[in-house]
Amino acid sequence: MALGDGKPGVTADDLKEFNQGLDEIREFHRQYRVRQKARETVPAEWFHLHKDTPTKVRKTKMTLSLDQDMADWYRWLGRGYQRWMNMILRTYMAAIVAEFINDGRRAE
């Protein structure tokens, strides 16, 4: 706070710092919501995919565009998040092949 004539005042720098703090709080809250949603929506079995799914297959690089919340969620998983993406996609593929899921592309 600036002290001009003995009365506390708010400077432009104070407002800028305050707004930066608010932005940081909003970002923290957004990331918290992403983590909470992940905990609420991910089946418990998926947390064990790394133990159940082999990933020793040759890898191919590709570009993938995701919704921002999805990108945030996978990055939140930390190091190795691309492996998780691969395992989840592999599980989804296996469910379609086994006809546990109808992907709408094949005639019944």
Side-chain angles (χ1 to χ4, degrees):
M1 295 289 181
L3 299 176
D5 57 355
K7 297 180 183 173
V10 177
T11 67
D13 287 339
D14 293 333
L15 287 174
K16 183 178 176 182
E17 186 178 334
F18 177 77
N19 285 327
Q20 287 173 340
L22 278 179
D23 289 343
E24 289 173 13
I25 291 169
R26 287 184 185 115
E27 177 61 18
F28 177 81
H29 188 252
R30 187 186 65 76
Q31 290 179 11
Y32 175 78
R33 285 193 323 259
V34 167
R35 288 191 298 271
Q36 284 299 108
K37 186 163 186 87
R39 286 187 193 109
E40 294 167 4
T41 58
V42 174
E45 295 80 14
W46 285 30
F47 289 102
H48 303 286
L49 284 175
H50 63 286
K51 297 175 186 173
D52 301 335
T53 308
T55 58
K56 299 295 183 198
V57 179
R58 187 177 142 266
K59 305 293 187 224
T60 302
K61 289 191 181 269
M62 67 181 293
T63 301
L64 176 68
S65 296
L66 298 172
D67 296 338
Q68 184 64 52
D69 61 335
M70 292 301 299
D72 292 343
W73 186 80
Y74 278 107
R75 287 185 184 125
W76 170 79
L77 292 173
R79 187 170 179 223
Y81 73 88
Q82 291 170 328
R83 190 176 106 214
W84 280 95
M85 292 173 91
N86 190 58
M87 288 187 289
I88 290 168
L89 289 169
R90 181 174 295 282
T91 302
Y92 182 73
M93 178 191 71
I96 289 173
V97 169
E99 298 182 353
F100 288 120
I101 297 174
N102 178 2
D103 69 352
R105 296 180 197 205
R106 296 179 302 217
E108 296 276 333

